[in-house]
């Protein structure tokens, strides 16, 4: 049973295993020793929970760390939309990024969520750099005429700057809220 | 509709509590307990209708610790009387307040059900 318990524990995120793995195993041992249930029933419950609770926790864990990935994907798609001559496609995608950035998880995996929110200043730093890249393209243009490549770089960098700045502000607000919650 | 992020300044933002969290709060209202004891208590209090496995239990405890409703106690029982690997949990002051608020919410719901004679064929 201990082996099965260790196996089902793998279905849960690493942060959970590190924090509660020993307690989980001890609890299974207690169940086996004291509950009077047969081992098959306990094994069924462990497997069922691994498939449902474990999967749910992994999904929540993934969602708390995938904001960056989603943001990058949406930015690239929006940029391609603009480059292909359909700037209107950027609007719903930028809105999607705002939603992704602003979305709060009801039940975050706390350690990782806190780590992400502490990095808000990096997002703002990246946004500043991207803005400067776009600005540099404008400065180097001759007679206010941008070549197609320069125009693409300019629009991409400012678009990405807007997105990363928005996410940075969102994370910064989240970090401020966390600090105020801890003080109380 | 998106649920508000729970905030200690606004107890209602924690409500309604997930059933598993309320069961754990009720179990811990009787004093600090380790995981297996919480599990047994929940089963006993619900007359066997709620059986929580270790994954659900510790998943809920983790969330409740993150939200400040439950904390692990520093004290360990005498190792000769208990396994040292067991970790004990207790309600925080916030957890007690949230539990009381959920109790009031459920009581109001039950009152409404009684008023409409739900248990006396009100739906018939």
């Amino acid at each position: 049973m201990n082996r099965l318990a260790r196996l089902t524990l793998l279905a849960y995120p690493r942060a959970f295993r590190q924090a509660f793995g020993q307690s989980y195993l001890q609890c299974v041992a207690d169940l086996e020793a004291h509950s009077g249930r047969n081992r098959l029933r306990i094994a069924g419950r462990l497997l069922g929970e691994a498939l449902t609770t474990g999967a749910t926790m992994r999904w929540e864990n993934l969602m708390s760390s995938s904001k960056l990935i989603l943001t990058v994907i949406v930015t690239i798609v929006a940029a391609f939309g603009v480059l292909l001559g359909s700037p209107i496609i950027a609007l719903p995608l930028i809105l999607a990024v705002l939603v992704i950035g602003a979305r709060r998880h009801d039940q975050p995996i706390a350690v990782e969520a806190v780590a992400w929110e502490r990095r808000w200043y990096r997002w703002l730093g990246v946004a500043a750099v991207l803005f400067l890249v776009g600005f540099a393209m404008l400065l180097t243009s001759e007679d206010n005429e941008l070549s197609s490549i320069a125009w693409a770089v300019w629009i991409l960098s400012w678009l990405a700057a807007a997105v990363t700045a928005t996410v940075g502000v969102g994370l910064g607000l989240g970090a401020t809220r966390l600090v105020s919650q801890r003080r109380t | 509709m998106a649920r508000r992020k729970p905030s200690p300044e606004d107890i209602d933002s924690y409500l309604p509590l997930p059933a598993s969290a309320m069961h754990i709060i009720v179990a811990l209202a009787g004093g600090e307990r380790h995981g297996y004891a919480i599990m047994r208590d929940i089963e006993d209090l619900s007359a066997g209708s709620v059986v929580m496995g270790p994954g659900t239990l510790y998943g809920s405890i983790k969330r409740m610790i993150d939200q400040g409703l439950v904390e692990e106690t520093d004290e360990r029982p005498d190792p000769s009387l208990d396994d040292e690997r067991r970790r004990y949990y207790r309600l925080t002051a916030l957890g007690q307040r949230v539990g009381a608020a959920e109790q009031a919410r459920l009581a109001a719901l039950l009152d409404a059900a009684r008023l409409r004679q739900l248990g006396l064929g009100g739906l018939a």
Side-chain angles (χ1 to χ4, degrees), chain B residues 16-32:
Chain B
L17 277 180
S20 56
M22 189 55 181
H23 280 296
I24 291 170
I25 284 179
V26 173
L28 290 177
E32 61 185 59

Side-chain angles (χ1 to χ4, degrees), chain A residues 5 18 21 27 32-33 50 83 92 96 106 108 111 119 124 130 132 136 163:
Chain A
Q18 286 172 346
C27 196
E32 192 181 5
L83 285 174
D106 289 336
V111 176
R119 292 180 195 157
L124 290 184
L130 288 167
L132 288 175
V163 168

Side-chain angles (χ1 to χ4, degrees), chain B residues 14-121:
Chain B
Y14 290 86
L15 309 183
L17 277 180
S20 56
M22 189 55 181
H23 280 296
I24 291 170
I25 284 179
V26 173
L28 290 177
E32 61 185 59
R33 280 167 172 71
H34 56 74
Y36 179 66
I38 296 172
M39 248 163 71
R40 289 302 305 264
D41 216 23
I42 290 170
E43 203 172 328
D44 291 344
L45 289 169
S46 65
S49 63
V50 178
V51 180
M52 204 179 276
T56 307
L57 175 76
Y58 284 108
S60 300
I61 287 177
K62 177 171 175 46
R63 285 168 185 152
M64 292 171 80
I65 289 174
D66 292 345
Q67 293 181 333
L69 304 179
V70 166
E71 63 188 359
E72 191 180 336
T73 59
D74 293 329
E75 303 92 38
R76 286 285 181 273
D78 186 342
S80 63
L81 299 174
D82 203 350
D83 194 316
E84 275 185 286
R85 288 183 304 174
R86 285 196 180 119
R87 289 154 71 176
Y88 284 70
Y89 303 95
R90 67 179 166 213
L91 283 180
T92 61
L94 175 65
Q96 289 176 5
R97 280 161 54 209
V98 170
E102 178 70 353
Q103 180 190 339
R105 189 188 71 80
L106 291 172
L109 184 65
L110 281 177
D111 286 345
R114 282 194 200 100
L115 270 176
R116 297 184 179 185
Q117 299 182 318
L118 203 56
L120 298 172

Side-chain angles (χ1 to χ4, degrees), chain A residues 2 8 13 27 29 35 40-41 48 60 78 95 98 121 132 135 139 142:
Chain A
N2 186 51
T8 54
C27 196
S35 72
L40 202 63
R41 200 170 157 198
E60 287 171 1
L95 283 174
L98 292 177
Y121 52 88
L132 288 175
F135 195 63
L139 285 180
E142 291 176 4

Side-chain angles (χ1 to χ4, degrees), chain A residues 64-148:
Chain A
S64 70
S65 63
S66 63
K67 280 180 183 172
L68 176 65
I69 298 166
L70 288 171
T71 305
V72 168
I73 291 170
V74 168
T75 305
I76 290 170
V77 173
F80 269 108
V82 171
L83 285 174
L84 292 172
S86 332
I88 196 72
I89 201 171
L91 193 62
L93 290 172
I94 289 170
L95 283 174
V97 169
L98 292 177
V99 170
I100 292 164
R103 187 175 179 272
R104 307 283 312 174
H105 294 280
D106 289 336
Q107 294 151 339
I109 304 297
V111 176
E112 291 171 22
V114 170
W116 272 95
E117 278 163 344
R118 277 183 183 160
R119 292 180 195 157
W120 59 273
Y121 52 88
R122 292 188 191 172
W123 286 80
L124 290 184
V126 171
V129 170
L130 288 167
F131 179 79
L132 288 175
V133 169
F135 195 63
M137 296 310 296
L138 286 180
L139 285 180
T140 53
S141 65
E142 291 176 4
D143 302 329
N144 291 329
E145 282 294 325
L146 287 172
S147 68
S148 58

